[in-house]
Amino acid sequence: MGNFVFDLIGKNIVAALVICIIPLVFILPYALIAILGELKIGAWMQDRVGPMRTGWKGVLQPVAEVVKLLQKEDITPTIANKPLFNLAPFIVFIGAFAAFAVLPFSEKFIPSGINLGLFFVFAVGSFAVIGIVMGGWASNNKYSLLGAMRSVAQIISYELPAGMVFLSIATIAGTLDMQTIILNQSGPIWNWYIFGGPQGGAIKFLFIPFFVILFIVYLISSLAETNRTPFDIPEGESEIVAGYHTEYSGMKFAMFFMAEYANMYVVSAIIVILFLGGWSSPFGTSFMDGPIWGIFWMVGKAFFFVFVQIWLRWTLPRLRVDQLMYLGWKVLLPLSIACFMAIAFLAMIN
Amino acid sequence: MVKYFKDILLGFWTIMVGMKITMDHLFQKKVTMQYPERFDPIDTGFMPDNSRNKLFVDIDDCNGCGGCERDCPVNCITVETVKTVPSDGPITIKSGAKRTLWVLKHEIDYSKCCFCSLCVESCATSAIFHTKEFDYSGYDRNELKHDFVSYSDEEKQKKLDNFVAYQIVKKQEDAAKKAADEAAKAAAAQITK
Amino acid sequence: MERKFIEYDFGRVDSERMRLNVGPQHPSTHGVLRLEIELEGEIVTDVIPHIGYLHRCFEKYCEQMQYPQVIPYIDRLDYIASMNNEWPFVMGVEKMMNIQVPERVEYIRVIFAELNRIANHQIAVATFGMDAGAFTPFLYLFRDREMILNLFEHTSGARLLYNYFWVGGLAHDVPPNFKDTALNIIKTVRATNEEVMRLLMGNKIFVERTVKVGILPADVAINFACSGPVLRGSGVEWDLRKAQPYSIYDRFDFNVCVGSNEIGVIGDSWNRNIVRMNEMEQSCRIIEQAIAQMPNEGDVREKFPKKVRPPKGEIYCSAENPKGELGFYLVADGGNKPFRLKSRPTSFVNLAVLPEICKGYMVADLILILGSIDIVLGEVDR
């Protein structure tokens, strides 16, 4: 546990800056890869070949798209509220970026090893909604307003089941510190929380169904929090054009775009940390384990869930607002509360 | 209550079914044809013989009847002709028939053309037909107008002049002939009297 | 647990209503349609469709056109089912001129009309799925439609606007491998339909989105003169191919698909689409029978009249288009141009029912209801 940058160059301002920059250095290439993945996987699932012109088999397509967005005219509607309009994309991006402060990448590197990691992620996760409302309201566009309103309702209702999931894990792990949660799950693969957690004996099998349900609950609510299909109603392009970012163009649109992809990684990383052992190797502590392999496992597992999100996007239709609320309040929340109570009870008798 | 759980399970199950289908397709053969590199229609003769693309007029074969102009539903064809004169000599179109009209202008405006193939149907000498070329463009609307006649302006003018001159000659001839006829008639009448 | 979406009470809420223009440049108005909608929050309280952005004076134009020249214009009405469009006009002129087209021509016409019906329904279901947010079935269906269009291209020379049914026959004979290609297409269409049934129509989210949305009762549908899948989705068994068998449709064994209460409510968006899915299967059956019965030899152009000059008189000739009944009322004055050609456009008539059925639903539902009516703006505006 800890931060190897501090070990390396001491606790000074340079080290602090380096630590700030490392997630950004990660996000930019990651966003490019994720965009390429979205384009290519989407195309392959639809029997297409996807972009093929830029670079070998089109691998440079995301770079081209970013360059295109950079040179595009930055349009601000004349009747928009300019300060809010300009500020909104950055706030949305900050919300996604701040979560990286507590996301561990390996045993040896976590930008800030605070012991309220899960709580912090939860808190800054709701930060984005302010940016979205600002953007939607300041655009002075009816479609944007509708999108922003939908987004608020959606993110707020899906934070509750997500919160219950966090709570359940915190109950069983006894901490909100991500590194400790991961350390709890280190060792063989059946120590992961989705397989019942580190405790042994028959009671382990009682835990499994509840953890699996919680896992699915969190997977669904994470989709809703990142505005991905089937919960992309705030930007549902067939209904309200592009939702809250209808009026954005150029770099500001790119910020929204990047925030979405950064958020995808954040929620995938949380899933991995909570249920799939974070950076710990599935082969136990003896094989392919260690700080460097830790980065591989952490990012690799998270990328798998990014893939799942892309996969779902190209499979499912979109929900309607009231159905979204139904699913959030009447299905996910009771399920997660029931699982939380069951797990708390089991943890007590364990 | 049973329906509630049944709905949840059904939703979960159908989503799984859908995800399996898309996963299967992820590894299937792709159907996209990379257009400029691989273009079956021309390379392999994939484009059918009766495909309706850019029109072409073989002006040597056109007898200038104007049927295509009349049959065009969008008036994209303009044909201008002038009659041949005896001094041109015995001229024929490619298919062997006697040419009675010089085609001075046969212009097709591709920005208007609707590729209905009615002009091709109406052409008695099969001078107008569809080619396999379809990707053409221009920077100006006028660039899409194509005149198939290759005569220079002097030649056209000469043909017009020839015709006008021939008209005058013919008029005189006709007048002379008429006069001669009338004279002959009068003479005949005189004789019968 | 019966779920109700429609019963909202706004009596206590004192809020301003919002007017929103959906279209003419909106991703899912299927063309240049403008819907002026009034919103109470997300609930649609009023819809006014504004049409005419694509008006081309079709009917007036036809009065200046000789009969063969009208056909390319008719192609451009419902431009995704051109073969079906040409048929009623051609049939009407043939009836006026007393032309009995050869047997083989009738079979080829049936096969092509049914293939085009499949292509049209594929687009309808695909775009409907896309309105609901499902993008993948769209491309699966378009991939199959490509095969149908290829066959059309090899036959008529064009992929979309065929100008193929001519008065007295067909413009070209079918390609030599026509029967095999058509049977192959049917095979693929069936396979893909089965896949789409599982991927899209059976998906719980999609069912929830479409069931009980835009319920069109049978009496309203009849009063608004709806036809095609919109009418049949409401449970009215009315198909011109069965009700007034034109051409040789009385020789084939097929069912008229109607909506049912099985999954949705009769007349809702889901039923309109399941009718389309089932009709594709019925079209496949008709094509199979037609291919089996079709004579192999024969000239498709032998009955072409020298000059198309119907005698003085008038006729209304209609056919079952994929979208419903398309009819042409033709008044001839004995010349080579129609004196008057009035069309009964399917999409236009079906669109008229939209304000009636989408009040009280959400914006997202409005888009779905519009998608389930399956309009083509080329036909609405003419």
Side-chain angles (χ1 to χ4, degrees):
Chain A
M1 240 209 288
N3 204 325
F4 78 95
V5 183
F6 281 147
D7 299 343
L8 219 61
I9 40 184
K11 266 198 177 213
N12 53 33
I13 192 153
V14 180
L17 276 176
V18 168
I19 291 168
C20 287
I21 287 166
I22 283 177
L24 200 62
V25 170
F26 172 75
I27 289 176
L28 293 173
Y30 151 74
L32 294 182
I33 293 169
I35 294 170
L36 182 69
E38 179 108 69
L39 293 170
K40 278 293 187 184
I41 293 167
W44 290 335
M45 281 178 175
Q46 298 170 341
D47 294 349
R48 296 185 281 128
V49 292
M52 292 288 274
R53 299 284 166 206
T54 35
W56 179 79
K57 298 263 182 194
V59 286
L60 292 179
Q61 183 68 27
V63 180
E65 297 205 351
V66 170
V67 171
K68 176 203 76 177
L69 283 174
L70 278 173
Q71 10 169 283
K72 268 186 140 180
E73 189 188 352
D74 187 22
I75 300 166
T76 310
T78 43
I79 47 170
N81 188 333
K82 287 194 182 58
L84 289 184
F85 184 83
N86 292 331
L87 196 58
F90 298 98
I91 288 190
V92 173
F93 185 70
I94 286 169
F97 184 58
F100 276 85
V102 293
L103 283 187
F105 280 88
S106 101
E107 204 173 344
K108 289 275 181 240
F109 180 70
I110 174 164
S112 168
I114 58 170
N115 52 14
L116 279 175
L118 275 180
F119 181 73
F120 182 81
V121 170
F122 194 64
V124 296
S126 43
F127 204 60
V129 79
I130 303 172
I132 289 175
V133 175
M134 273 165 72
W137 177 260
S139 301
N140 209 345
N141 179 321
K142 288 168 183 173
Y143 289 117
S144 301
L145 185 62
L146 278 175
M149 290 301 147
R150 287 177 173 196
S151 182
V152 177
Q154 170 176 334
I155 291 177
I156 287 173
S157 16
Y158 277 80
E159 263 172 5
L160 289 168
M164 293 315 289
V165 175
F166 285 0
L167 209 54
S168 312
I169 298 293
T171 312
I172 200 83
T175 177
L176 284 167
D177 184 2
M178 297 208 186
Q179 292 288 54
T180 320
I181 291 172
I182 296 171
L183 275 178
N184 277 352
Q185 303 175 62
S186 64
I189 189 167
W190 52 83
N191 275 1
W192 294 358
Y193 277 129
I194 194 163
F195 300 119
Q199 64 270 37
I203 199 156
K204 184 183 175 76
F205 294 98
L206 288 176
F207 274 110
I208 291 177
F210 299 114
F211 276 123
V212 170
I213 292 175
L214 283 178
F215 170 73
I216 292 165
V217 166
Y218 188 71
L219 189 62
I220 295 172
S221 9
S222 68
L223 286 174
E225 280 190 63
T226 48
N227 294 340
R228 298 282 300 178
T229 315
F231 304 104
D232 62 342
I233 53 169
E235 48 198 90
E237 81 279 352
S238 65
E239 296 149 20
I240 47 171
V241 189
Y244 55 87
H245 57 65
T246 306
E247 294 287 354
Y248 284 92
S249 64
M251 206 51 217
K252 280 185 239 157
F253 174 73
M255 293 298 272
F256 275 121
F257 208 60
M258 211 140 77
E260 182 185 328
Y261 281 91
N263 255 329
M264 275 164 72
Y265 179 81
V266 171
V267 293
S268 304
I270 299 286
I271 294 174
V272 170
I273 290 160
L274 293 185
F275 294 102
L276 297 172
W279 36 254
S280 53
S281 157
F283 306 111
T285 44
S286 53
F287 182 59
M288 290 175 87
D289 198 27
I292 305 296
W293 279 113
I295 294 176
F296 169 76
W297 288 120
M298 181 71 212
V299 177
K301 288 172 189 171
F303 263 57
F304 174 74
F305 283 98
V306 172
F307 167 73
V308 169
Q309 291 183 348
I310 292 171
W311 184 9
L312 278 167
R313 169 162 180 191
W314 297 108
T315 306
L316 296 178
R318 186 181 304 121
L319 285 163
R320 198 173 51 208
V321 187
D322 59 327
Q323 289 162 350
L324 179 100
M325 292 295 146
Y326 177 87
L327 183 66
W329 291 98
K330 291 191 179 171
V331 178
L332 296 185
L333 191 59
L335 273 181
S336 55
I337 289 176
C339 287
F340 165 65
M341 293 200 302
I343 284 173
F345 182 71
L346 286 173
M348 206 161 66
I349 61 170
N350 188 15
Chain B
M1 202 64 191
V2 177
K3 192 174 177 294
Y4 171 79
F5 285 110
K6 233 169 111 182
D7 273 357
I8 293 175
L9 285 179
L10 186 67
F12 194 71
W13 173 246
T14 50
I15 288 170
M16 287 292 147
V17 168
M19 284 173 82
K20 187 182 172 298
I21 290 173
T22 40
M23 190 42 106
D24 289 347
H25 275 273
L26 187 57
F27 303 107
Q28 268 181 16
K29 199 174 162 286
K30 311 298 171 231
V31 294
T32 310
M33 196 156 62
Q34 291 280 300
Y35 160 56
E37 286 92 26
R38 179 166 161 253
F39 180 40
D40 284 349
I42 281 177
D43 291 349
T44 61
F46 203 69
M47 188 178 271
D49 290 336
N50 57 3
S51 62
R52 309 209 297 252
N53 303 311
K54 196 173 180 179
L55 285 163
F56 182 78
V57 182
D58 188 353
I59 212 70
D60 294 337
D61 217 355
C62 175
N63 61 8
C65 69
C68 43
E69 191 183 9
R70 274 194 304 280
D71 270 13
C72 181
V74 289
N75 301 331
C76 74
I77 305 178
T78 320
V79 184
E80 279 172 17
T81 52
V82 64
K83 273 189 181 153
T84 52
V85 291
S87 62
D88 289 337
I91 33 168
T92 58
I93 60 171
K94 229 190 218 169
S95 54
K98 189 172 179 292
R99 181 184 278 289
T100 54
L101 292 168
W102 287 116
V103 183
L104 295 188
K105 186 183 183 189
H106 193 300
E107 192 182 73
I108 298 181
D109 187 350
Y110 290 114
S111 58
K112 281 187 191 169
C113 180
C114 74
F115 304 98
C116 62
S117 197
L118 286 173
C119 48
V120 178
E121 260 338 286
S122 71
C123 189
T125 56
S126 303
I128 185 165
F129 53 86
H130 290 284
T131 58
K132 302 219 165 172
E133 189 192 345
F134 61 90
D135 42 358
Y136 50 93
S137 56
Y139 287 103
D140 192 326
R141 217 185 306 178
N142 290 324
E143 283 175 39
L144 291 173
K145 286 183 184 167
H146 197 286
D147 194 350
F148 292 92
V149 177
S150 51
Y151 302 135
S152 64
D153 285 348
E154 290 89 59
E155 280 174 308
K156 284 183 193 170
Q157 196 55 47
K158 200 178 153 215
K159 288 191 164 73
L160 276 172
D161 290 347
N162 278 351
F163 176 66
V164 174
Y166 177 66
Q167 286 290 81
I168 297 164
V169 172
K170 205 180 167 204
K171 217 176 204 172
Q172 288 167 350
E173 275 177 5
D174 282 355
K177 210 176 163 190
K178 212 176 175 185
D181 279 359
E182 266 167 22
K185 249 182 205 166
Q190 203 79 46
I191 287 161
T192 47
K193 243 179 199 176
Chain C
M1 283 179 67
E2 191 64 16
R3 292 173 51 195
K4 284 181 183 142
F5 305 132
I6 319 150
E7 290 175 13
Y8 305 98
D9 179 18
F10 294 108
R12 286 162 285 108
V13 185
D14 187 23
S15 63
E16 201 180 331
R17 290 189 177 177
M18 180 160 81
R19 283 209 166 259
L20 184 63
N21 272 317
V22 179
Q25 282 125 1
H26 186 274
S28 52
T29 46
H30 298 239
V32 279
L33 171 70
R34 180 158 77 95
L35 295 174
E36 194 184 337
I37 62 177
E38 202 180 68
L39 289 179
E40 177 83 65
E42 282 240 4
I43 315 294
V44 177
T45 52
D46 195 12
V47 179
I48 309 164
H50 292 272
I51 60 169
Y53 290 89
L54 207 59
H55 184 51
R56 308 185 294 278
C57 305
F58 162 74
E59 286 172 9
K60 193 69 193 165
Y61 230 131
C62 287
E63 292 168 17
Q64 317 298 321
M65 292 286 152
Q66 297 161 24
Y67 286 95
Q69 295 180 347
V70 172
I71 297 174
Y73 278 88
I74 287 174
D75 279 340
R76 285 158 176 79
L77 286 183
D78 177 1
Y79 41 78
I80 51 183
S82 295
M83 292 272 185
N84 299 71
N85 282 2
E86 292 161 9
W87 205 356
F89 174 74
V90 169
M91 210 154 53
V93 178
E94 278 163 4
K95 267 185 194 162
M96 287 186 97
M97 294 178 71
N98 250 331
I99 300 173
Q100 185 65 43
V101 292
E103 193 92 318
R104 184 173 147 84
V105 170
E106 292 279 24
Y107 277 105
I108 295 174
R109 281 184 182 179
V110 167
I111 293 167
F112 276 116
E114 294 304 320
L115 279 175
N116 212 337
R117 188 184 310 277
I118 293 175
N120 175 79
H121 285 347
Q122 277 172 335
I123 284 203
V125 174
T127 50
F128 185 65
M130 210 155 84
D131 288 344
F135 196 18
T136 305
F138 175 82
L139 280 140
Y140 293 171
L141 287 165
F142 262 61
R143 182 194 58 196
D144 283 8
R145 180 170 171 267
E146 197 68 11
M147 298 176 70
I148 299 178
L149 293 194
N150 270 338
L151 177 62
F152 286 168
E153 186 187 3
H154 278 244
T155 312
S156 71
R159 286 170 57 82
L160 200 64
L161 305 160
Y162 311 108
N163 190 14
Y164 183 59
F165 290 12
W166 285 3
V167 176
L170 301 167
H172 303 278
D173 204 343
V174 290
N177 58 350
F178 163 71
K179 288 186 178 180
D180 293 339
T181 319
L183 290 174
N184 193 20
I185 286 171
I186 291 173
K187 218 171 100 196
T188 323
V189 164
R190 280 183 170 151
T192 309
N193 276 6
E194 192 264 340
E195 206 169 67
V196 170
M197 279 302 283
R198 283 191 293 146
L199 177 60
L200 181 71
M201 304 295 287
N203 190 297
K204 185 73 181 158
I205 297 177
F206 186 77
V207 170
E208 288 291 315
R209 277 299 301 277
T210 52
V211 158
K212 292 183 197 164
V213 167
I215 300 171
L216 173 63
D219 55 337
V220 178
I222 293 170
N223 284 347
F224 275 81
C226 293
S227 52
V230 179
L231 179 67
R232 289 196 283 276
S234 301
V236 184
E237 205 173 321
W238 176 258
D239 189 325
L240 287 180
R241 292 174 295 172
K242 275 268 193 227
Q244 319 167 345
Y246 53 93
S247 184
I248 51 166
Y249 271 112
D250 46 356
R251 296 183 200 174
F252 304 117
D253 171 34
F254 65 99
N255 304 333
V256 178
C257 312
V258 289
S260 68
N261 263 327
E262 199 180 335
I263 291 187
V265 183
I266 283 188
D268 63 6
S269 304
W270 197 84
N271 265 311
R272 284 196 276 278
N273 268 276
I274 200 72
V275 163
R276 289 196 181 99
M277 294 296 285
N278 293 337
E279 264 180 28
M280 276 193 241
E281 168 59 28
Q282 299 303 328
S283 291
C284 290
R285 280 179 64 197
I286 296 177
I287 294 166
E288 273 173 347
Q289 294 170 39
I291 284 177
Q293 297 172 13
M294 185 178 127
N296 280 322
E297 297 299 320
D299 188 3
V300 294
R301 319 183 108 199
E302 65 183 6
K303 285 289 175 68
F304 277 177
K306 269 224 149 54
K307 281 227 162 65
V308 187
R309 278 176 191 273
K312 204 169 176 187
E314 57 185 49
I315 194 169
Y316 175 76
C317 198
S318 61
E320 183 72 21
N321 241 31
K323 297 187 172 65
E325 177 187 345
L326 176 73
F328 287 106
Y329 177 64
L330 172 66
V331 183
D333 56 357
N336 61 354
K337 292 170 183 167
F339 179 73
R340 175 86 171 93
L341 184 66
K342 166 89 178 81
S343 67
R344 182 219 183 269
T346 320
S347 302
F348 176 73
V349 178
N350 284 353
L351 180 65
V353 86
L354 178 74
E356 200 68 18
I357 55 174
C358 60
K359 278 173 199 163
Y361 295 99
M362 292 190 169
V363 186
D365 292 335
L366 169 74
I367 299 298
L368 275 185
I369 296 168
L370 181 65
S372 75
I373 291 178
D374 184 23
I375 51 163
V376 160
L377 267 295
E379 199 182 7
V380 173
D381 294 340
R382 304 195 295 299

